[in-house]
């Protein structure tokens, strides 16, 4: 059909199209109308106007609501008389106006149709149980493709005709209803979010999996909310029913030896391989998700992209995302239009560093408890998809065969154009939001209608009975045998033992973080010569490549520092970490807004030719192709982008995924991802992740939204033990939270993520002012073999005849304020009285290292915590009980008045930082003064 289709360049301005991981949009064009077709379209313009009106407005008259309560207006645009078409017996040449053959839309035909046939044909296509919205697309090719595939009798998806196809649909519907009825009988108080009323979701997905397998798709990544999840799990996705009953009865879904807290029954997962005849097999992976509806969508997109990451590493320009892996997202109608992450995810769908080859969206439109007039400002919940011009297919869930046709059409579009498409499956809920809810409180007429109508499975059974495909005995036999099976599985729950589906496939080389085999503190150093080679490679460009004149200083400074072995700055340390990991076979991906250059113009890992705008990533160009660096400059999104990167981290332990916030403050736009995935996925779902969050932090006069990563919030999410007694070297914290103050420390943190034999999320309070501060640079020897990240940094004594007993005040501190304090201490000549101990890793709290530091200065008169953040923010609330516990243990022979920990810093505030410069300077001066007051 599309033999003459050709790949064309996008009309959008292309940029960065040579950097690793960038994939241009897959765009096709079909030849224009033939001269004969153009002539006919002009001569028969009234007919053309009518046909296009049917394509554009037919959805408004289609029979897509099973309850028939949608308020539909008279669609005047569908009346042929409005276009002067009055005589239904008159014949018209349809060449180039209506598609009637299988040879392609650009094939000339001499057919003439009477107007009556034209009306009947168009209404059968556009005003039936499926309503199509595709005429809003700016792509002539897409509009032409849809009209042709729907109208041409030999191409359009056929009605389900084979008896075995119909029986397959019926069995799925009947088992789903029997399953819900069984759960209602055996567990009447269970909130199961059943599928009653929406059973057509199962044949919809079954059709999608089948046609995808036929087309060569090998893996489907599936994201969905709770509605109908148990039905899907226990039927199509082969989740053991016995395991489900065990969970419903209060058992754990994983072995208790893992110490997993688990999740609710409506968040269970399964990853079976399905068979579809003739040897066709397709792997389906339903992802775990939180109750925050739609939050899992970008996670699924990221995992889908990562699953084809090996294709991205292939130099073959014909590599296409979506050839083997497909993302399928299920939604509820209210959340699809109501949750902002949906818009963010759609915005990522066609971006070159984020596309996963097109997602099929299935909206299970159950009619939210709140009426549509109060739930959305648009006609359809799917209208959000029009922001990316996604086609929409609305289909009546009471007609499962039409549902199957709609899904087949959706897949064909996705597989050809590799773009998102939406199927709006309009169904209803036989019960309320859950089975314990009474929806008639607010929707009495709707539920009077629902309770007086036959179920979807019963309606389809009536149809098959009339067609003599099944008989009443078949119905009884299927339902009774399935109930007997469920009863038998329930009776065996007492002997059920759960198994853990973790550390499989690519993850089999990893260990569980709480196991005795976990190596949490590996040697992360690298040979000096290798470091120099990597550093030089990170700034080397080919001849004729013209970098910006100001960047030549950046290049020269890096080469000079590497040669001297001193003055290694933050960006150089990062490049050394990336390059050394790449040499060891690890891929690195860093995403965020303008990460190639860096928010503070510090990174420059991607260089742009000033004459051609060609792009080079020197580490990729100059190092052996063992690992690759992907610099994914993202859209202005936090939640979806972070979710996407987190999804990538689930796919492979060999990928180092990093998300860098433009400023640390902006992480709050992604708080749901941090709360429900990053901080808790290991505990809930046994899912490890090595993702890194770089959150630039530090008060420097930039105001309330450019100062703080809200480290207090991140720390509060940790399960870090509160005292030394509960902590041990085997403590399995949910994530690591660090605030490094030297480039070498940052280097070791990055490498530690990949060198450990398990994976943990790492949150870094990243620097701003330290990026170019000479006092904060490192020597190259701090990176060599035998070195590693140091959780606590104690100052070396450089003044004459030092002794620990001379120190009067010990100040614990984090971050960049250390350098300001050291400078002020020198000005005051107080080196012998005040010492600073930097806690570089706040979680897990380094009890042993801090205890050793306290012992070294046990004769000091006072111990203080100093921070630049307000007292109700920063790390104070996290470190105070832990430091106090250690001080009590270390000073058991010291009077109580000398054991305490004193707070130094700003007072409580409602904002992270003031926006008035004069006030900020005064506050900052007071913070620094507090360190030396009274000495």
């Amino acid at each position: 059909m599309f033999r003459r289709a050709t790949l064309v360049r996008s009309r959008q301005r292309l940029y960065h199209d040579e950097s690793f991981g960038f994939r241009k949009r897959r765009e096709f064009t079909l030849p224009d109308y033939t001269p004969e077709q153009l002539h006919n379209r002009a001569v028969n313009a009234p007919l053309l106007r009518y046909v296009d009106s049917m394509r554009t407005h037919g959805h408004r008259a289609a029979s897509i609501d099973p309850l028939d309560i949608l308020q539909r207006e008279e669609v005047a645009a569908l009346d042929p008389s409005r276009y002067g078409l009055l005589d239904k017996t008159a014949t018209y040449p349809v060449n180039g106006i209506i598609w009637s053959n299988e040879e392609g839309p650009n094939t000339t035909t001499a057919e003439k149709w009477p107007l009556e046939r034209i009306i009947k044909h168009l209404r059968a296509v556009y005003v039936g149980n499926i309503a199509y919205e595709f005429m809003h697309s700016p792509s002539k090719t897409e509009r032409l493709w849809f009209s042709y595939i729907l109208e041409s009798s030999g191409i359009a998806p056929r009605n389900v005709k084979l008896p075995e196809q119909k029986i397959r649909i019926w069995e799925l519907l009947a088992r789903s209803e029997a399953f819900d009825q069984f759960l209602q009988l055996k567990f009447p108080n269970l909130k199961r979010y059943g599928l009653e009323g929406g059973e057509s979701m199962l044949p919809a997905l079954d059709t999608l999996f089948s046609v995808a397998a036929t087309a060569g798709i090998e893996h489907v990544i599936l994201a969905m909310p709770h509605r109908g999840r148990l039905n899907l799990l226990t039927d199509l996705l082969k989740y053991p029913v016995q395991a489900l009953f065990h969970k419903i009865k209060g058992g754990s879904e994983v072995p208790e030896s893992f110490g997993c807290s688990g999740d609710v029954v409506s968040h269970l997962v399964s990853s079976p391989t399905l068979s579809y005849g003739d040897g066709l097999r397709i792997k389906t992976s339903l992802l775990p998700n939180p109750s925050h509806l739609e939050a899992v969508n970008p996670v699924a997109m990221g995992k889908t992209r990562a699953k084809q990451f090996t294709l991205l590493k292939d130099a073959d320009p014909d590599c296409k995302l979506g050839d083997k892996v497909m993302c399928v997202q299920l939604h509820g109608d209210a959340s699809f239009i109501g949750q902002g992450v949906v818009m963010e995810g759609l915005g990522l769908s066609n971006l070159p560093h984020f596309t996963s080859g097109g997602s099929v969206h299935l909206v299970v439109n159950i009619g939210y408890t709140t009426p549509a007039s109060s739930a959305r400002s648009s006609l359809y919940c799917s209208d959000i998809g029009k922001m990316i011009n996604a086609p929409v297919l609305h289909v009546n869930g009471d007609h499962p065969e039409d549902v199957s046709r709609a899904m087949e059409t959706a897949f064909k579009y996705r597989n050809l154009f590799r773009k998102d498409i939406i199927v709006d499956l309009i169904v209803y809920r036989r019960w309320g939001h859950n089975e314990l809810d009474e929806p008639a409180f607010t929707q009495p007429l709707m539920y009077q209608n629902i309770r007086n109508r036959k179920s979807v499975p019963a309606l389809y059974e009536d149809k098959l009975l009339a067609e003599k495909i099944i008989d009443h005995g078949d119905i009884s036999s299927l339902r009774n045998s399935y109930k007997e099976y469920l009863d038998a599985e329930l009776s065996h729950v007492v002997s059920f033992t759960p198994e853990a589906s973790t550390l499989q496939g690519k993850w089999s080389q990893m260990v569980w973080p709480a196991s005795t085999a976990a190596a949490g503190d590996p040697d992360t150093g690298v040979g000096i010569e290798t470091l120099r080679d990597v550093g030089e490679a990170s700034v080397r460009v080919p001849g004729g490549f013209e970098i910006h004149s100001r960047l030549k200083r950046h290049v020269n400074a890096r080469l000079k520092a590497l040669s001297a072995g001193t003055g290694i700055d933050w960006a150089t340390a990062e490049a050394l970490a990336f390059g050394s990991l790449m040499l060891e076979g690890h891929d690195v991906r860093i995403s965020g807004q303008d990460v190639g250059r860096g928010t503070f113009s510090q990174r420059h890992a991607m260089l742009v030719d000033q004459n051609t705008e060609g792009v080079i990533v020197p580490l990729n160009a100059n190092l052996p192709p063992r690992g690759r660096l992907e610099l994914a400059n993202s859209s202005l999104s936090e939640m979806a982008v972070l979710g996407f990167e987190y999804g990538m981290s689930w796919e492979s332990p060999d990928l180092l995924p990093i998300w860098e916030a433009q400023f640390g403050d902006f992480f709050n736009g992604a708080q749901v991802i941090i709360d429900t995935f990053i901080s808790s996925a290991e505990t809930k779902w046994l899912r490890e992740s090595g993702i890194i969050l770089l959150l630039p932090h530090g008060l420097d006069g930039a105001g309330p939204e450019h100062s703080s990563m809200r480290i207090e919030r991140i720390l509060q999410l940790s399960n870090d033990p509160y005292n030394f007694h509960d902590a041990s070297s085997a403590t399995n914290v949910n994530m690591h939270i660090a605030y490094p103050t030297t480039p070498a420390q940052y280097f070791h943190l990055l490498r530690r993520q990949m060198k450990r034999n398990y994976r943990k999320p790492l949150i870094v309070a990243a620097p701003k002012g330290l990026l170019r501060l000479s006092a904060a640079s490192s020597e190259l020897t701090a990176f060599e073999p035998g070195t590693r990240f140091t959780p606590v940094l104690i100052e070396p004594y450089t003044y004459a005849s030092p002794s620990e007993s001379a120190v009067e005040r010990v100040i614990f501190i984090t971050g960049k304020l250390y350098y300001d304090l050291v400078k002020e201490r020198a000005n005051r000549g107080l080196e012998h009285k005040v010492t600073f101990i930097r806690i570089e890793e706040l979680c897990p709290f380094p009890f042993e290292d801090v205890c050793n530091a306290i012992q070294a200065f046990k004769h000091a008169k006072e111990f203080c915590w100093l921070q630049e953040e307000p007292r109700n923010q920063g790390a104070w609330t996290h470190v105070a009980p832990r430091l106090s516990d250690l001080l009590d243990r270390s000073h058991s022979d010291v009077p109580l008045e000398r054991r305490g920990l004193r707070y130094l810093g700003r007072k409580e505030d409602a904002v992270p930082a003031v926006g008035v410069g004069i006030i900020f300077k005064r506050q900052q001066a007071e913070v620094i003064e507090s360190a030396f007051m009274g000495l």
Side-chain angles (χ1 to χ4, degrees), residues 534 574-584 588 619 623 751:
V534 169
E574 181 181 77
L576 297 178
F578 288 173
S580 59
L581 287 172
M582 291 162 63
L583 288 176
E584 294 166 6
V588 180
L619 284 175
L623 293 180
R751 285 186 51 79

Side-chain angles (χ1 to χ4, degrees), residues 448-599:
Q448 183 179 348
N449 181 339
I450 290 173
R451 287 162 182 167
N452 289 331
R453 72 193 316 275
K454 284 188 174 182
S455 67
V456 176
L459 289 173
Y460 195 60
E461 284 171 350
D462 288 346
K463 181 177 185 297
L464 297 193
L465 286 170
E467 294 176 4
K468 300 187 183 305
I469 291 177
I470 61 173
D471 57 31
H472 290 285
D474 296 325
I475 297 172
S476 299
S477 175
L478 174 68
R479 291 176 178 267
N480 289 337
S481 63
Y482 192 59
K483 181 181 180 300
E484 291 171 0
Y485 163 72
L486 295 176
D487 270 322
E489 292 297 295
L490 180 59
S491 68
H492 295 144
V493 166
V494 292
S495 60
F496 178 78
T497 302
E499 297 179 357
S501 58
T502 189
L503 301 179
Q504 298 176 351
K506 296 178 183 177
W507 288 84
S508 60
Q509 59 187 291
M510 296 288 106
V511 303
W512 185 241
S515 72
T516 56
D521 189 27
D523 181 351
T524 49
V526 177
I528 296 294
E529 290 308 311
T530 298
L531 292 173
R532 286 198 169 108
D533 290 344
V534 169
E536 188 273 334
S538 71
V539 289
R540 187 170 74 242
V541 297
F545 191 97
E546 186 65 27
I547 64 174
H548 194 282
S549 58
R550 289 171 58 184
L551 287 183
K552 293 177 181 178
R553 183 172 56 186
H554 163 81
V555 172
N556 292 333
R558 179 168 296 181
L559 295 176
K560 181 179 178 181
L562 289 166
S563 176
T566 59
I568 306 298
D569 65 13
W570 216 271
T572 301
E574 181 181 77
L576 297 178
F578 288 173
S580 59
L581 287 172
M582 291 162 63
L583 288 176
E584 294 166 6
H586 297 288
D587 295 311
V588 180
R589 174 182 161 104
I590 179 168
S591 80
Q593 295 145 25
D594 209 9
V595 293
R597 183 193 70 173
T599 294

Side-chain angles (χ1 to χ4, degrees), residues 408-427:
E408 182 181 346
T409 304
F411 176 77
K412 286 184 175 181
Y413 171 87
R414 178 267 174 198
N415 220 36
L416 178 63
F417 295 99
R418 298 296 162 85
K419 295 167 69 175
D420 288 28
I421 185 169
I422 301 167
V423 176
D424 180 19
L425 176 61
I426 303 177
V427 293

Side-chain angles (χ1 to χ4, degrees), residues 43-121:
V43 170
N44 289 289
L47 177 63
L48 175 61
R49 291 176 58 209
Y50 170 62
V51 172
D52 275 350
S53 290
M54 289 294 295
R55 294 166 178 162
T56 303
H57 302 291
H59 66 91
R60 294 163 54 197
S63 178
I64 57 176
D65 179 16
L67 301 180
D68 199 25
I69 59 175
L70 287 179
Q71 294 182 357
R72 293 282 173 172
E73 60 191 40
E74 183 71 23
V75 185
L78 305 185
D79 183 355
S81 66
R82 292 178 66 88
Y83 310 96
L85 305 174
L86 303 175
D87 184 359
K88 292 187 177 181
T89 63
T91 60
Y92 297 88
V94 296
N95 187 27
I97 298 177
I98 299 174
W99 314 118
S100 60
N101 61 71
E102 301 181 31
E103 297 303 317
N106 305 102
T107 303
T108 299
T109 176
E111 283 190 76
K112 290 186 176 182
W113 289 11
L115 178 60
E116 185 174 21
R117 178 184 174 186
I118 291 172
I119 295 171
K120 182 179 180 181
H121 179 68

Side-chain angles (χ1 to χ4, degrees), residues 87-246:
D87 184 359
K88 292 187 177 181
T89 63
T91 60
Y92 297 88
V94 296
N95 187 27
I97 298 177
I98 299 174
W99 314 118
S100 60
N101 61 71
E102 301 181 31
E103 297 303 317
N106 305 102
T107 303
T108 299
T109 176
E111 283 190 76
K112 290 186 176 182
W113 289 11
L115 178 60
E116 185 174 21
R117 178 184 174 186
I118 291 172
I119 295 171
K120 182 179 180 181
H121 179 68
L122 292 176
R123 293 191 69 86
V125 172
Y126 295 111
V127 195
N129 295 321
I130 307 176
Y132 302 93
E133 290 189 275
F134 61 88
M135 292 295 283
H136 58 274
S137 172
S139 167
K140 183 193 74 174
T141 292
E142 291 186 28
R143 297 193 306 271
L144 184 59
W145 180 86
F146 260 108
S147 60
Y148 177 67
I149 201 172
L150 297 176
E151 296 167 18
S152 178
S153 59
I155 298 297
R158 297 295 83 218
N159 288 323
V160 177
K161 290 184 175 180
L162 296 177
E164 56 267 29
Q165 294 175 315
K166 298 189 177 192
I167 290 174
R168 170 72 173 177
I169 291 174
W170 164 63
E171 289 176 342
L172 288 168
L173 298 175
R175 285 199 300 266
S176 179
E177 184 175 48
F179 175 78
D180 277 324
Q181 290 173 347
F182 183 86
L183 290 185
Q184 184 64 29
L185 176 66
K186 301 294 184 177
F187 306 101
N189 295 320
L190 173 68
K191 293 181 180 179
R192 53 187 163 82
Y193 306 101
L195 200 54
E196 290 156 296
E199 289 93 345
S200 288
M201 182 191 86
L202 293 179
L205 290 173
D206 188 49
T207 297
L208 180 60
F209 298 159
S210 176
V211 295
T214 302
I217 299 293
E218 297 174 355
H219 205 128
V220 169
I221 307 298
L222 188 62
M224 74 174 297
H226 47 274
R227 178 67 53 190
R229 191 180 184 100
L230 301 186
N231 305 68
L232 176 63
L233 277 168
T234 54
D235 200 311
L236 278 179
L237 301 190
K238 306 183 185 304
Y239 188 82
V241 176
Q242 195 177 135
L244 173 65
F245 293 155
H246 172 78

